[in-house]
Amino acid sequence: MNGRTNVASLRGVTKRYGAQVALHGIDLELRRGELLALLGPNGAGKSTAIGLLLGLIRPDAGEVELFGRDPQQLAARRRIGVMLQSAELPATLRVGELLRLTASYYPEPLSVAESAELAGIDDLLMRPYAKLSGGQKRRVQFALALCGRPELIFLDEPTVGLDIEARTKLWAAIREHVAAGCSVVLTTHYLEEAEALADRVCMMAHGRMIHEGSVDELRARVAVKRIRCLSALPIDIVRGWSEVNEVRRDGERLHIGTAEAENVVRRLLDADHALRELEVHRAGLAEAFTELTRDVSAEETAMAEQAA
Amino acid sequence: MSPRRVAGAYLAEARSECLRYLRAPSFMLPMTLFSTVFYLMFGVLINHGNGDAARYLLASYSTFGIIGPGLFGFGVSLAIERDGGLLTLKRALPMPPGAYLLGKMLMAMLAASFVTVLLLCVGVFLARVELTLGQMAALLATGMFGALPFCALGMFAGTLIKGQGAPGMLNLIYMPMAFMSGLWLPLPMLPKFIQQLAPIWPSYHLNQITLAAVGLNHQALWPHVLVLCAFAAAFLLLAARRLRRYG
């Protein structure tokens, strides 16, 4: 990757907290105009990776670059926007004042009115931050992340506590920015959020990058497909078929997990002529996620057992 | 980024810092009224017109009042902002790091000046302490700049403690230090070893300067100024190091 398309990177980065290793020599590249979703269970090392890219912490080994510089330099951070889930903004300041303050950190910010419009908070400018609802606070934080005309935005769980309509609006605003050439790093627990927005997904577990690729590639790595149908077939017969990984009955409905959906469907139709409402789904990101993180846990347990 | 815009960031930060505390007076008010209430009680109501005592107490309660905004304004707000993630966000944003500290410093200096003005009013109008304009100005200036070493101390304390426990912890520094440097009872009335220990407290040195401002101390002031400067520099460095490393 050359320097022009690469906006930020971690190279062979290790970070320890005491005896605990938070990151085991990970590599990560953020490209221009791309939305990267960073996924992983709590404690996977997502926050540490973000903290390093923001210059909040320093690596024990490896290199961290933000626009070709050390992220602790102001000049590098003047090109980013940040939305952190945990930050409690000053309660008594008005929304307009918060926007003006944050914009003052940047060389060529948007006007207060422009950033308010982008985030849909025009009507909130005179309200004290403490008086806002949870969803309004998220939108204000989003406006603060945009107000400096950033080339790279860090969004940490941006839609926690938002209702569906507000979430869809925020997604649309994020997509617009990516379309305009802005890069975004998104950390989220909502897998559908990553599915809806991400060009690329990096999945972390136990301080390692366990998968990197497009949403489709990630899904493909998990070959499991889900078959659902209404059938009177006894569950034990289906379980006996070699292609079937798992099967479960829920009233009249059968749920089958398999890597060879075509063969299983053929056998199902042969075995039960009264079968109705047949559906076949590809595994979603959620399944891929559980599958991949389970693999890693199993490997680690095995390694630990070997060592013991 | 142009120097003008950087200066603008400093200004915006200072403005926000002052605004947010002026709108939430419950944070600063107890600290600022404490010394005034003490002075009203001991310098006016109980004192029955002893001019020298009223003058002495004006100085020592000024010292007591000046320390509060620096120690608490910095210590408590830093401890809470570290806890609430605001400091993390500000460190991630391209905020000039000095702007954050300067904003808080300015607010502490404002509050300390406000305390000094309140005490001067009580002293001049109620306790009938006769002061020249020069003496009043000297006390006010001491109030403004005397807050700075305690900002540094508060800042260091704020990097060690987190969250809502901060006011209690800071009182454990504030109250004993005030007592042991003779701000509540004059030092000569205290046990010998406390008198001997007094010069290790920064509040003792600040008190020598406020005493001089109201005309009760005619010795050289530069040693006290020097000690306070050294004290401020030492704690500022310690705090800055901790903030850079741990946030």
Side-chain angles (χ1 to χ4, degrees), chain B residues 40-198:
Chain B
L40 267 175
M41 271 162 49
F42 297 106
V44 181
L45 296 177
I46 298 180
N47 182 25
H48 301 299
N50 179 342
D52 274 348
R55 187 180 288 269
Y56 182 92
L57 290 174
L58 174 61
S60 59
Y61 283 127
S62 293
T63 309
F64 184 63
I66 293 164
I67 298 173
L71 196 59
F72 284 81
F74 242 97
V76 175
S77 65
L78 189 60
I80 288 177
E81 282 162 21
R82 260 165 23 93
D83 201 36
L86 182 61
L87 186 66
T88 311
L89 177 66
K90 293 209 170 225
R91 285 176 60 220
L93 288 171
M95 176 191 68
Y100 178 73
L101 300 181
L102 210 70
K104 285 197 188 306
M105 241 162 67
L106 209 71
M107 184 60 215
M109 286 170 85
L110 267 179
S113 316
F114 176 68
V115 176
T116 320
V117 169
L118 272 183
L119 284 166
L120 273 170
C121 288
V122 174
V124 171
F125 296 115
L126 298 177
R128 306 269 166 214
V129 180
E130 284 179 24
L131 293 174
T132 65
L133 273 180
Q135 285 174 326
M136 289 186 213
L139 192 64
L140 194 60
T142 311
M144 273 176 87
F145 294 102
L148 293 180
F150 299 94
C151 287
L153 178 61
M155 182 173 154
F156 180 64
T159 64
L160 293 176
I161 39 187
K162 247 187 182 183
Q164 304 298 334
M169 290 297 293
L170 285 166
N171 267 320
L172 283 180
I173 306 175
Y174 189 33
M175 297 300 166
M177 188 171 75
F179 176 74
M180 300 222 272
S181 47
L183 304 186
W184 292 351
L185 293 170
L187 271 179
M189 292 168 68
L190 295 174
K192 192 89 189 151
F193 79 95
I194 291 188
Q195 292 182 33
Q196 285 167 340
L197 223 60

Side-chain angles (χ1 to χ4, degrees), chain A residues 56 88 92 97 105-106, chain B residues 5 13 20 23 84 91-92:
Chain A
L56 296 172
E88 273 169 45
T92 55
E97 289 163 349
Y105 303 151
Y106 292 92
Chain B
R5 277 211 64 83
E13 191 67 38
R20 61 188 278 217
R23 285 197 194 134
R91 285 176 60 220

Side-chain angles (χ1 to χ4, degrees), chain A residues 54-56 74 77-78 80 82 84 86-90 92-94 97 100-109, chain B residues 1 5-6 8-9 12-13 15-16 19-21 23-24 84-86 88-97 244:
Chain A
L54 293 174
L56 296 172
L74 279 186
R77 294 209 309 280
R78 284 191 181 124
I80 66 169
V82 186
L84 292 181
S86 55
E88 273 169 45
L89 297 172
T92 55
L93 289 186
R94 301 202 173 98
E97 289 163 349
R100 205 164 301 127
L101 173 64
T102 309
S104 79
Y105 303 151
Y106 292 92
E108 286 165 11
Chain B
M1 194 154 134
R5 277 211 64 83
V6 175
E13 191 67 38
R15 184 175 169 273
S16 305
L19 259 182
R20 61 188 278 217
Y21 287 119
R23 285 197 194 134
L86 182 61
T88 311
L89 177 66
K90 293 209 170 225
R91 285 176 60 220
L93 288 171
M95 176 191 68
R244 242 199 332 273

Side-chain angles (χ1 to χ4, degrees), chain A residues 150-169:
Chain A
E151 296 164 58
L152 168 61
I153 311 182
F154 289 85
L155 300 174
D156 176 23
E157 302 282 347
T159 57
V160 167
L162 290 188
D163 58 35
I164 293 175
E165 197 200 333
R167 181 180 299 180
T168 326
K169 268 193 194 163

Side-chain angles (χ1 to χ4, degrees), chain A residues 34-235:
Chain A
E34 167 192 74
L35 192 144
L36 174 85
L38 201 53
L39 303 177
N42 287 332
K46 284 174 300 179
S47 329
T48 308
I50 298 292
L52 284 162
L53 288 169
L54 293 174
L56 296 172
I57 44 178
R58 302 195 67 85
D60 293 315
E63 262 178 65
V64 184
E65 265 186 12
L66 186 61
F67 294 102
R69 298 169 188 261
D70 178 347
Q72 292 201 324
Q73 289 181 12
L74 279 186
R77 294 209 309 280
R78 284 191 181 124
R79 298 166 73 173
I80 66 169
V82 186
M83 177 171 177
L84 292 181
Q85 192 200 353
S86 55
E88 273 169 45
L89 297 172
T92 55
L93 289 186
R94 301 202 173 98
V95 171
E97 289 163 349
L98 286 169
L99 270 171
R100 205 164 301 127
L101 173 64
T102 309
S104 79
Y105 303 151
Y106 292 92
E108 286 165 11
L110 298 170
S111 74
V112 170
E114 285 170 317
S115 25
E117 202 195 320
L118 276 175
I121 52 165
D122 315 60
D123 50 335
L124 301 178
L125 289 177
M126 290 307 287
R127 300 266 298 278
Y129 185 73
K131 298 269 160 70
L132 303 180
S133 73
Q136 290 171 329
K137 284 182 180 171
R138 304 303 294 160
R139 276 189 282 154
V140 169
Q141 291 166 12
F142 185 61
L144 295 178
L146 298 181
C147 71
R149 292 185 208 267
E151 296 164 58
L152 168 61
I153 311 182
F154 289 85
L155 300 174
D156 176 23
E157 302 282 347
T159 57
V160 167
L162 290 188
D163 58 35
I164 293 175
E165 197 200 333
R167 181 180 299 180
T168 326
K169 268 193 194 163
L170 196 72
W171 284 0
I174 294 173
R175 279 200 199 97
E176 261 174 51
H177 271 78
V178 175
C182 188
S183 313
V184 176
V185 181
L186 172 77
T187 52
T188 181
H189 275 97
Y190 297 124
L191 294 166
E192 76 251 44
E193 189 157 280
E195 279 192 288
L197 296 173
D199 301 306
R200 203 153 58 94
V201 178
C202 282
M203 193 173 290
M204 296 186 70
H206 309 286
R208 292 198 171 83
M209 214 48 93
I210 59 171
H211 177 85
E212 191 187 330
S214 68
V215 173
D216 289 337
E217 281 167 14
L218 184 59
R219 280 205 200 115
R221 253 188 79 169
V222 183
V224 176
K225 298 190 177 73
R226 309 256 149 222
I227 300 172
R228 282 187 293 191
C229 58
L230 297 182
S231 165
L233 271 181
I235 191 167

Side-chain angles (χ1 to χ4, degrees), chain A residues 273-294:
Chain A
H273 293 281
L275 184 141
R276 288 174 299 134
E277 293 194 23
L278 177 69
E279 296 171 54
V280 182
H281 291 275
R282 226 173 148 185
L285 213 44
E287 274 107 353
F289 189 70
T290 347
E291 200 85 348
L292 284 172
T293 45
R294 189 173 38 214

